[in-house]
Amino acid sequence: MAPYLRLESIRKDFGGFTALKSIDLDIAQGEFVCFLGPSGCGKTTLLRIIAGLEVQTAGRIELAGRDISTLPPAERDYGIVFQSYALFPNLSIADNVAYGLVNRKVPKAQARARVAELLALVGLPGSEAKYPAQLSGGQQQRIALARALATSPGLLLLDEPLSALDAIVRVKLRQEIRSLQRKLGVTTIMVTHDQEEAFAVADRIVVMNHGAIEQVGSAMDVYRDPATLFVADFVGRINALPASPEADGRLRIGHQVFRCDHASLEGHATGQELRVYLRPEDVLARPIPAGDPNVFEAEIDKIEFMGPYCLVRVKAEALGGHAITVYLSLNYLAEAQLEVGSRVPLRLMPDRMRVFA
């Protein structure tokens, strides 16, 4: 099937600065995609180009088989929700939601019915007569979402819609947005710098850096198998250690040789300088098999309480004195009577040791 949205060689220059460098991306109908990256990586600029709020320097945009590269925003089939809500303070909630319908000259009775339907859909039935100032931030963002969906657009664009909300409201609203998107089947693109948010809602994540796409994949793909050094460093917590390959799929880290079963080790010459990346959960405290080459002893240097688990920093002579962080449960720490200064056996998971030159 042809993609619902296709971006071909999208480039954007601001004077002598290149904000986007030849972006190519296909998005399927009904897919929820997140543009994820640090501030200044170009994700919002790309969203604004899709919306027609910025004009690309070069490249082509196709939506549902139609070339929209040069069309004005009003002629592109999308709804958009901004970080700042962007509601009209002098209009009632009903008038805010119906704004796009009025512009399309939808009959009043039909518009009223659509407004009532959408307010029920976003969990705010009966709020037609209220004004934005009478609603909380989370409620205002629900109204902005209802307004964006009023004209039944084929594409929904979300520009960091949750970043102005407090943590509890943000988590609840992102779940509601995802549930609503699945119910309606609307193709959705959300810009965010919040990794947890992207992991929670996206079918696919587009990781961006310096105006380029570093990796496109599911949350599991991006987290477990980063394609580049940037993705490995940017997404989630990571341990990075200097290493060099040995014979027979083994890897020397510090003073010890470990077994590495990850395909990323293949093709590297013996003695080559590498970096091995491990998530904190890829270092196990139990079980510890007898005679396993990936077991080493470490000393606890710091314990950071995180609620149901602790982020524990350990140092190991076997790793050349380098410190790494591991996740240990409160139950395990209590059971083993571990504290700062305690020594503990640990094991590196051989299939999780991602290697980069």
Side-chain angles (χ1 to χ4, degrees), residues 79-315:
I80 191 166
V81 178
F82 298 100
Q83 175 184 343
S84 60
Y85 320 142
L87 300 177
F88 300 108
N90 58 320
L91 296 183
S92 68
I93 296 306
D95 289 339
N96 265 283
V97 175
Y99 188 79
L101 300 174
V102 171
N103 287 344
R104 296 189 178 196
K105 296 181 171 56
V106 173
K108 288 184 178 180
Q110 186 178 335
R112 280 197 302 271
R114 179 62 173 161
V115 168
E117 176 191 357
L118 287 165
L119 290 178
L121 197 63
V122 299
L124 291 171
S127 58
E128 287 90 338
K130 293 183 179 180
Y131 284 82
Q134 296 174 278
L135 303 180
S136 68
Q139 290 172 327
Q140 289 186 56
Q141 199 60 297
R142 285 184 175 90
I143 298 304
L145 182 61
R147 182 180 60 187
L149 294 169
T151 58
S152 300
L155 183 65
L156 178 62
L157 304 178
L158 307 173
D159 187 8
E160 302 208 44
L162 308 178
S163 59
L165 305 174
D166 65 62
I168 294 175
V169 174
R170 191 162 63 239
V171 170
K172 184 178 180 181
L173 192 51
R174 82 186 183 202
Q175 293 168 345
E176 292 176 1
I177 288 174
R178 180 52 167 154
S179 177
L180 187 60
Q181 188 269 340
R182 283 176 173 162
K183 182 177 180 179
L184 298 176
V186 60
T187 307
T188 302
I189 300 173
M190 183 167 78
V191 165
T192 182
H193 62 270
D194 187 322
Q195 298 175 25
E196 182 180 308
E197 193 170 278
F199 289 165
V201 301
D203 294 314
R204 282 192 304 158
I205 296 173
V206 179
V207 184
M208 297 181 64
N209 184 38
H210 293 308
I213 293 176
E214 295 271 345
Q215 185 172 358
V216 180
S218 69
M220 187 66 78
D221 292 336
V222 169
Y223 185 80
R224 279 282 175 85
D225 199 18
T228 67
L229 277 169
F230 171 79
V231 178
D233 280 322
F234 179 71
V235 176
R237 292 182 183 271
I238 201 77
N239 294 302
L241 296 167
S244 60
E246 300 274 331
D248 304 323
R250 294 180 299 160
L251 191 66
R252 177 174 292 279
I253 305 173
H255 307 305
Q256 188 166 329
V257 175
F258 296 85
R259 194 176 91 248
C260 176
D261 296 341
H262 198 282
S264 61
L265 183 59
E266 297 174 4
H268 295 294
T270 302
Q272 182 181 355
E273 291 185 5
L274 304 175
R275 290 186 75 77
V276 59
Y277 279 71
L278 285 156
R279 303 286 182 195
E281 66 270 22
D282 298 336
V283 185
L284 303 182
R286 58 181 177 183
I288 303 294
D292 190 309
N294 284 28
V295 173
F296 63 99
E297 190 173 66
E299 180 178 320
I300 295 178
D301 181 59
K302 181 182 178 182
I303 300 176
E304 185 178 348
F305 177 69
M306 305 291 286
Y309 65 91
C310 290
L311 187 65
V312 180
R313 186 173 68 190
V314 301
K315 290 184 178 179

